[in-house]
Amino acid sequence: MGHVGKQTITFNNPPVITCAYASAGPREVQGPLGEYFDNKLQDELLGEDSWEKAESKLITQTVQGLLSKANKTPQDVQYLFAGDLQNQVIASTFGLMDFNIPFFGLYGACSTMGESMCLASMAIAGGMADLVMAGTSSHNCAAEKQFRFPLEYAGQRTMTQQWTATASGFVLIANAGKGPKITAITPGKMVDLGIKDTFNMGAAMAPAAVDTILTHLEDTHQKPSDFDAIITGDLGNCGLDIAVDIAGKLGTDLQGVINDCGKLIYDDKVEDTHCGGSGCGCSGSVFAGYFYSQLLKGHLKKILLVPTGALMSPGSTQQGHTIPGIAHAVSIVME
């Protein structure tokens, strides 16, 4: 394990993503990637009496599903890295408590899948564990209630607004085994260009995505065409266009290789999600469901996963603060 360039870490003995499991809500299952989700929810409440409890149950089901799929028990897992969008990551707290696994609660907004995988891979590569779990979740109704307006308000959605995914994705990362390998990570810096519009988070996150992608390429002496795909987290349709434009003005053409989980998860024309998807569970479920399967099948050999986050809270936006963005890059190779 070594530090290269500005902020990238490479692994001499790359950690292995040995198993992945994705859950998704009814709207997400109706989208283009519906067949790739392991757990297809029929009801966004999951039989609970609140959206917050439903998200915790969503996380519980996803982790249980991952352990069963991998034929593992909670006792086999040394550490668990996870987070969500609810205040003080309480969805993860209550969803994971009964597994009795040492827990690192994370908040990276919608970049949390990248953050959790970065930290998990460092723990494995550093010899501090043999098997760890990383993941995240989001719930549309819980997020709308906390960050914008409860559903009962029935406010008009702007055309730049994205749809927070009701979804969850978790992965097992080991020091050995079969599966895609994490060869390098580039933890991102906070980038703030002064965006304050909470209904246009793609614009807030796009500069951070570009900063992390270009830094990873520079640090590792690579070019975009060295990857089969560069996948951002939840820039959505507008944010992805902004990211491509910013990168182009900085001298790097990302056209043809870059795509976005928020752009892929919904059929915007049919599902009327306006600017695509967002939420921690967006990149978490799309990677654990679709992209992981594509790597296993050999359809993709090398990808750069770059989950993106808008670092805001209800309090910060109410007080007029800007929305800093962040993005973490994970280089994944299927040999």
Side-chain angles (χ1 to χ4, degrees):
M1 184 166 67
H3 184 275
V4 298
K6 296 178 182 178
Q7 60 203 63
T8 298
I9 299 168
T10 58
F11 302 116
N12 297 327
N13 297 303
V16 183
I17 308 172
T18 58
C19 195
Y21 192 91
S23 298
R27 179 183 288 264
E28 291 70 26
V29 169
Q30 292 172 8
L33 306 181
E35 65 181 288
Y36 296 98
F37 300 120
D38 301 280
N39 181 24
K40 300 175 177 63
L41 307 179
Q42 302 299 314
D43 173 17
E44 288 188 334
L45 267 174
L46 284 79
E48 299 295 329
D49 59 8
S50 75
W51 306 122
E52 291 78 10
K53 291 179 182 178
E55 185 174 355
S56 291
K57 190 170 183 178
L58 168 64
I59 295 170
T60 301
Q61 289 184 358
T62 305
V63 171
Q64 286 176 336
L66 177 60
L67 291 170
S68 297
K69 187 176 180 180
N71 196 27
K72 299 291 183 182
T73 68
Q75 290 73 32
D76 295 321
V77 182
Q78 277 94 51
Y79 302 109
L80 206 162
F81 299 84
D84 56 86
L85 291 177
Q86 290 189 38
N87 287 337
Q88 288 77 51
V89 295
I90 59 167
S92 299
T93 297
F94 292 112
L96 299 171
M97 186 163 50
D98 291 341
F99 290 101
N100 203 32
I101 301 172
F103 170 55
F104 290 92
L106 310 176
Y107 185 80
C110 301
S111 74
T112 299
M113 191 65 181
E115 181 181 8
S116 65
M117 292 176 70
C118 283
L119 293 170
S121 61
M122 290 170 68
I124 292 293
M128 289 164 275
D130 299 322
L131 183 67
V132 299
M133 189 179 291
T136 188
S137 74
S138 56
H139 194 293
N140 176 268
C141 306
E144 290 299 312
K145 176 180 173 182
Q146 177 174 287
F147 287 101
R148 298 188 182 99
F149 304 107
L151 302 186
E152 295 85 351
Y153 182 78
Q156 181 70 39
R157 300 175 66 246
T158 68
M159 294 307 296
T160 57
Q161 190 171 339
Q162 295 161 250
W163 190 276
T164 304
T166 299
S168 177
F170 276 78
V171 296
L172 280 171
I173 300 177
N175 60 356
K178 296 181 179 179
K181 296 181 178 180
I182 298 175
T183 57
I185 60 172
T186 301
K189 304 192 301 288
M190 289 177 282
V191 179
D192 186 354
L193 293 190
I195 302 295
K196 294 185 177 182
D197 184 0
T198 60
F199 298 102
N200 190 8
M201 291 190 298
M205 295 183 287
V210 173
D211 182 80
T212 299
I213 291 168
L214 297 190
T215 298
H216 182 85
L217 295 175
E218 180 181 350
D219 286 352
T220 58
H221 305 291
Q222 296 183 96
K223 54 187 182 298
S225 59
D226 291 327
F227 295 88
D228 295 324
I230 296 175
I231 309 299
T232 51
D234 59 331
L235 298 180
N237 305 334
C238 298
L240 183 61
D241 290 342
I242 293 170
V244 170
D245 184 60
I246 293 174
K249 290 178 178 178
L250 294 174
T252 300
D253 184 6
L254 296 178
Q255 291 277 12
V257 69
I258 193 170
N259 212 325
D260 182 77
C261 296
K263 187 179 181 69
L264 294 169
I265 194 170
Y266 300 117
D267 184 333
D268 297 329
K269 294 181 180 178
V270 174
E271 298 183 89
D272 192 27
T273 53
H274 289 5
C275 213
S278 67
C280 304
C282 180
S283 60
S285 65
V286 171
F287 172 74
Y290 175 70
F291 282 107
Y292 188 76
S293 71
Q294 297 306 295
L295 288 161
L296 289 182
K297 293 174 182 177
H299 297 164
L300 296 171
K301 294 290 188 180
K302 183 177 182 180
I303 68 171
L304 188 66
L305 180 68
V306 193
T308 49
L311 300 177
M312 66 178 192
S313 74
S316 69
T317 55
Q318 288 163 9
Q319 294 174 24
H321 287 288
T322 56
I323 306 173
I326 195 163
H328 306 292
V330 184
S331 179
I332 303 169
V333 176
M334 186 69 193
E335 298 177 345

